[in-house]
Amino acid sequence: MVSKEEGVEWPLGKPGGILLAMLFLPTVVAIFVQRSGFNFLPSNEWISKTALPALAVGVVSAALPFWIILKSRHQTDGVKRGFGLLFAPVAGFLLGKHLVVIAVPMLFAVIAGHQVELSFTVVDAHEWGDSKCRTPVQVEGVPMLFDEICRVPDDIRRELGPLHRIAVSGRGTSRGVFVESLRRID
C-alpha cells in the first residue's frame, strides 16, 4: 500500500503525461473557444471523411485512461477507481474523437483560414438557448456542443425550419468555419 506522502505513481512516466496532455489540450481549447462564444462548425464533408480515423482515435483515447486506472489499482481507493473506470473512458473517447473532428479543422481555420461559405441543414431554429448560447440555430450532422450557431437574429430564425438549407460564411477552410453570418439558401 502506498502512503499518502508518497503519492500516486503515474504509470506512463513524466514523458507519457506530457504527451497525453498535448494530445488532449487542442480538444479542450476547442471546447473552451466554442463555449466562449466563437461559433465554429466543422464541415459535413470533413466529418464524414474523418469518421473512421475519429473513431480509431476515440477508442484509443478511451482505452488509455482505462488502462492507466487499472495499472494504478493499488494506488487508489475503490470509489475513486470505480468512478474513474466509468467516466474516464467516456471522456477519453469524446476528447479523442473531437480532436480529429473539431480541433484539427479549427486549427486549420485559425492558421490558413480565409473567407468561405459552407452549407448546412437546419434541425431546429425556434428553441430558446441558454446563457452561453442565446437564440440558437441547430444544424444537422455536427457533434454535440458544436451543432449550434448562437446569437442568430430573430428575423433570420423566423425564416428557418427543419430541413431548410443555410449558407454559413466566415473565416475558415473547406474543413470548417468560424461563423460570421448565415442566410437561407432554399
Side-chain angles (χ1 to χ4, degrees):
M1 190 87 194
V2 176
S3 70
K4 292 187 184 223
E5 291 82 32
E6 291 178 35
V8 176
E9 182 183 327
W10 182 247
L12 297 177
K14 190 172 184 175
I18 292 170
L19 180 65
L20 189 62
M22 287 176 55
L23 176 68
F24 290 140
L25 184 64
T27 306
V28 172
V29 169
I31 292 169
F32 176 75
V33 166
Q34 183 76 8
R35 295 307 292 171
S36 295
F38 296 96
N39 290 310
F40 180 80
L41 292 174
S43 71
N44 288 322
E45 178 187 354
W46 175 260
I47 293 169
S48 64
K49 196 182 289 188
T50 60
L52 193 55
L55 179 65
V57 171
V59 168
V60 169
S61 298
L64 188 60
F66 189 79
W67 175 78
I68 290 171
I69 291 167
L70 287 178
K71 182 103 168 130
S72 62
R73 66 176 170 234
H74 299 294
Q75 299 170 349
T76 56
D77 64 22
V79 174
K80 287 181 185 176
R81 185 169 176 242
F83 278 118
L85 288 172
L86 287 175
F87 295 112
V90 173
F93 177 80
L94 292 174
L95 287 171
K97 181 180 177 190
H98 281 68
L99 174 69
V100 175
V101 174
I102 306 293
V104 169
M106 188 181 281
L107 186 61
F108 278 116
V110 168
I111 294 172
H114 53 282
Q115 196 66 22
V116 296
E117 187 173 83
L118 301 175
S119 62
F120 295 90
T121 302
V122 173
V123 172
D124 186 17
H126 302 293
E127 186 176 303
W128 289 102
D130 58 18
S131 63
K132 297 285 184 191
C133 185
R134 301 263 185 222
T135 61
V137 171
Q138 187 178 12
V139 295
E140 184 177 76
V142 180
M144 190 173 61
L145 294 180
F146 294 89
D147 63 344
E148 292 180 333
I149 304 169
C150 302
R151 298 177 305 281
V152 178
D154 283 333
D155 57 326
I156 295 174
R157 286 179 40 162
R158 274 188 286 257
E159 297 176 12
L160 301 175
L163 302 179
H164 286 154
R165 299 284 297 161
I166 58 172
V168 175
S169 60
R171 180 179 172 86
T173 65
S174 62
R175 295 170 182 92
V177 61
F178 282 100
V179 180
E180 293 173 4
S181 65
L182 65 93
R183 63 182 174 82
R184 185 173 168 186
I185 56 176
D186 63 358

